[in-house]
Amino acid sequence: MNDMNGKVAIVTGGNSGIGEQTARLLIDRGARVFITARREQQGVAVAADLGATFIRHDVTQEQDWERVIEQVMTEAGKIDVLVNNAGVSGGAPIAEETLEQFERIIRTNLSSAFLGIRSVIPGMRGAGGGSIINVGSITGLTGVTGVSGYGSSKWGLRGLTKIAAAELGPDRIRVNIVNPGVIYTPMTSIHGAQPGEGSFPLSPLRRIGLAEEVGEAIAFLASPAAAYMTGEEITVDGGWMATEVSMTSHQD
């Protein structure tokens, strides 16, 4: 039931980290994948390695979404899966946050997902259904200090997921969200994250997660194996949110 043969998927932010590993898993299971990102040189190289198609894409721009959808429909004839993975991290405590930075993060992490969902609805309706997976965060599950814009965007993404699932269910379009914890990616490695046993003692599994482990959850939700799941959340955090350990700022 994990077979993705004949399926067509779009993975935003597919040039690195969770997006790249998700694209790799979908391709391995038979899907045709289009990865999108702003960094063209890196995206082209990753797409060539994966066997995917790269499309340059600013997810905050409505016109870019129209262009991406048009290209995918022209080349593949349909869209079965959308993974809204592109995003930015960062932020500051509320007292120190600027409106400009707050709105930039909201636009990149939340408004872009709205644009993506809205853009694929006609094609998925025409195909008789589809699967949309939003990539959230554990910062959208509890109050994390020091990341007001980022945390707010991920809380909003959870709400958008539920609303879209309720509205699109009758069209057989499933909408779910995966909430990663601390995952080893190029983004987190900049801040000193390292994989391996003992790398993250706050989680019951005592280690930082891997991008492919989040990709497995996304690929599952994209597949027929999750055909009766919509409006649901899968948390991939090594059990962190199952504990009573208080979360503190990433800067602490």
Side-chain angles (χ1 to χ4, degrees):
M1 292 185 73
N2 287 319
D3 186 2
M4 296 294 289
N5 277 308
K7 302 295 185 182
V8 176
I10 299 172
V11 180
T12 70
N15 60 332
S16 66
I18 292 170
E20 179 182 351
Q21 294 303 319
T22 297
R24 187 182 303 277
L25 288 166
L26 293 174
I27 291 168
D28 286 347
R29 292 168 191 180
R32 180 175 182 182
V33 175
F34 293 78
I35 63 171
T36 80
R38 286 185 296 183
R39 289 175 290 184
E40 185 167 6
Q41 185 173 0
Q42 181 185 15
V44 169
V46 170
D49 177 61
L50 295 176
T53 300
F54 174 76
I55 306 176
R56 190 180 184 282
H57 184 198
D58 182 344
V59 293
T60 68
Q61 300 300 311
E62 188 170 9
Q63 309 94 293
D64 267 25
W65 274 105
E66 292 171 356
R67 179 175 51 78
V68 167
I69 299 304
E70 181 179 4
Q71 180 174 337
V72 174
M73 291 298 292
T74 298
E75 294 186 15
K78 63 174 182 171
I79 300 167
D80 299 295
V81 175
L82 168 65
V83 180
N84 279 316
N85 169 71
V88 293
S89 61
I94 294 171
E96 302 169 14
E97 184 68 278
T98 66
L99 178 61
E100 180 182 14
Q101 179 168 257
F102 186 90
E103 290 183 336
R104 177 183 67 86
I105 294 171
I106 294 293
R107 186 167 61 251
T108 306
N109 294 356
L110 178 57
S111 300
S112 67
F114 160 76
L115 290 173
I117 292 169
R118 193 182 65 177
S119 296
V120 299
I121 289 173
M124 287 188 174
R125 278 177 172 164
S131 178
I132 299 169
I133 302 98
N134 297 321
V135 179
S137 167
I138 54 170
T139 62
L141 301 177
T142 188
V144 182
T145 61
V147 288
S148 53
Y150 185 77
S152 296
S153 72
K154 298 303 184 178
W155 275 96
L157 190 58
R158 290 177 65 207
L160 179 63
T161 299
K162 304 285 188 182
I163 293 166
E167 291 184 355
L168 302 177
D171 296 306
R172 300 297 183 266
I173 299 173
R174 300 183 295 106
V175 189
N176 295 287
I177 186 168
V178 172
N179 297 309
V182 180
I183 306 298
Y184 182 68
T185 66
M187 185 182 296
T188 60
S189 66
I190 293 173
H191 301 288
Q194 293 294 326
E197 294 301 322
S199 58
F200 191 63
L202 288 180
S203 76
L205 294 185
R206 300 293 193 269
R207 66 173 176 84
I208 287 174
L210 303 177
E212 54 263 40
E213 292 172 323
V214 182
E216 287 284 2
I218 297 170
F220 163 70
L221 289 172
S223 76
Y228 200 52
M229 294 179 66
T230 194
E232 300 298 338
E233 306 187 44
I234 296 179
T235 300
V236 185
D237 70 343
W240 191 8
M241 291 294 96
T243 72
E244 296 181 358
V245 176
S246 296
M247 295 181 65
T248 57
S249 167
H250 294 300
Q251 287 80 36
D252 288 351

